[in-house]
Amino acid sequence: MHIKEVIGILEEQSPVSYALEWDNVGLLAGDSEKEINRIYIALDATDEAVDAAIAAQADLLLTHHPLIFKGMKKIVSDHFIGRRLMKLIANDVAYYAMHTNFDVKGMADLSSAILGLEDAKVLDVTAMEDGKKEGIGRVGMLMKPMSLEYCAEFVKAAFSLNEVKVFGNRKQLLKKAAVSPGSGKSEIENAISHKADVLITGDIDHHDGIDAAARGLCIIDAGHYGLEHIFVRYMEEYLKKRCAGVTITAERITFPYFII
């Protein structure tokens, strides 16, 4: 199987046309004619992920977040991005990223399903497909009314987390929830406009959190990695079903930080 065939399979799931205009997705390094026997999947193209892909003798490294994001004028070993790219190229490992296109066509429905949201709708519309709205996040009814404290525990269990950060009254009754994996402070207004009781997301800072709570929107900050690590297992299963003869390996869930 060639990379271009794998790309076709990836774009069946998440077409690059759904990526937001500021994003950088697709094949970012490598030859589309390259033969693929092994694929390594990670959330980020960290030094550890690059080394693991090489150790696994992968022909392709697939990540959610793109390693090349802003414009680069030089690729040199004393820059952390250049170092990783040079190592991938030197070991003949191609590199593909599926970021906001997967957020729209993948992550939104996946996170909504994990939470069991009912009658879920698009939280932030970014595209239309045959008259159907597509976009970032989902908003829907929780399976049953629950307190903010109970919901926080539910989110922890659903996403295999040790902790979450919560803004709001722990006893407040929640019925409608919005979920936006990754960095979600820009979705606060959308969650409020949809009359959600809680926004489940990541990267919420102090002022955004307390201000949202003051406006009646509770916040469960499960962390950027905490919600988006679901990409890895999902894509592992997706590719195993569609790439016959290709060995698929995925990184273990490993939080890139620790709390003391």
Side-chain angles (χ1 to χ4, degrees):
M1 179 174 284
H2 292 91
I3 285 184
K4 61 184 179 182
E5 296 175 271
V6 175
I7 289 173
I9 292 170
L10 295 174
E11 292 191 10
E12 285 179 14
Q13 162 61 46
S14 305
V16 295
S17 59
Y18 284 97
L20 302 188
E21 62 180 13
W22 48 261
D23 204 4
N24 190 31
V25 301
L27 184 65
L28 304 186
D31 180 357
S32 63
E33 298 295 333
K34 176 180 170 60
E35 185 76 21
I36 293 293
N37 295 300
R38 295 180 177 86
I39 299 174
Y40 188 85
I41 307 171
L43 190 69
D44 298 279
T46 60
D47 288 309
E48 293 78 9
V50 169
D51 288 341
I54 293 169
Q57 298 183 313
D59 302 295
L60 175 67
L61 171 61
L62 169 66
T63 70
H64 178 48
H65 298 125
L67 176 60
I68 306 171
F69 194 70
K70 298 179 180 179
M72 298 181 66
K73 294 185 176 181
K74 56 184 177 180
I75 307 295
V76 292
S77 62
D78 59 358
H79 187 277
F80 72 100
I81 294 177
R83 178 180 68 241
R84 296 171 191 172
L85 286 170
M86 290 175 66
K87 187 177 288 188
L88 287 170
I89 293 168
N91 287 275
D92 198 22
V93 181
Y95 174 58
Y96 191 98
M98 47 197 306
H99 188 209
T100 52
N101 53 324
F102 185 81
D103 286 337
V104 172
K105 297 288 285 184
M107 193 82 79
D109 285 332
L110 180 58
S111 59
S112 174
I114 289 173
L115 293 170
L117 297 187
E118 299 173 352
D119 192 27
K121 297 178 173 59
V122 176
L123 175 63
D124 182 1
V125 177
T126 60
M128 296 288 290
E129 180 182 38
D130 299 326
K132 180 184 176 182
K133 296 176 180 177
E134 295 288 354
I136 303 294
R138 293 292 183 265
V139 57
M141 304 305 294
L142 291 164
M143 292 180 288
K144 63 179 182 180
M146 58 185 71
S147 69
L148 174 59
E149 184 170 20
Y150 184 95
C151 187
E153 293 290 347
F154 173 60
V155 170
K156 282 171 57 180
F159 288 89
S160 303
L161 308 176
N162 292 323
E163 70 280 318
V164 295
K165 182 169 66 175
V166 184
F167 295 90
N169 184 333
R170 67 178 63 216
K171 297 186 182 300
Q172 183 171 333
L173 188 66
L174 311 177
K175 297 180 180 179
K176 191 173 188 179
V179 58
S180 181
S183 182
K185 64 181 180 181
S186 62
E187 299 301 336
I188 288 175
E189 294 300 328
N190 287 317
I192 291 173
S193 69
H194 281 283
K195 301 187 185 309
D197 299 309
V198 62
L199 171 62
I200 301 162
T201 188
D203 296 346
I204 298 295
D205 61 32
H206 172 75
H207 294 288
D208 287 317
I210 62 174
D211 290 349
R215 299 172 67 187
L217 177 68
C218 298
I219 298 287
I220 297 176
D221 183 340
H224 200 122
Y225 186 93
L227 295 182
E228 289 196 332
H229 69 73
I230 58 177
F231 164 84
V232 177
R233 293 291 167 260
Y234 178 86
M235 290 308 303
E236 180 184 18
E237 294 304 314
Y238 177 83
L239 290 175
K240 280 182 176 179
K241 293 176 181 177
R242 292 163 177 82
C243 296
V246 177
T247 300
I248 311 298
T249 306
E251 71 175 358
R252 297 174 57 188
I253 297 176
T254 305
F255 285 80
Y257 60 88
F258 62 91
I259 295 175
I260 297 177

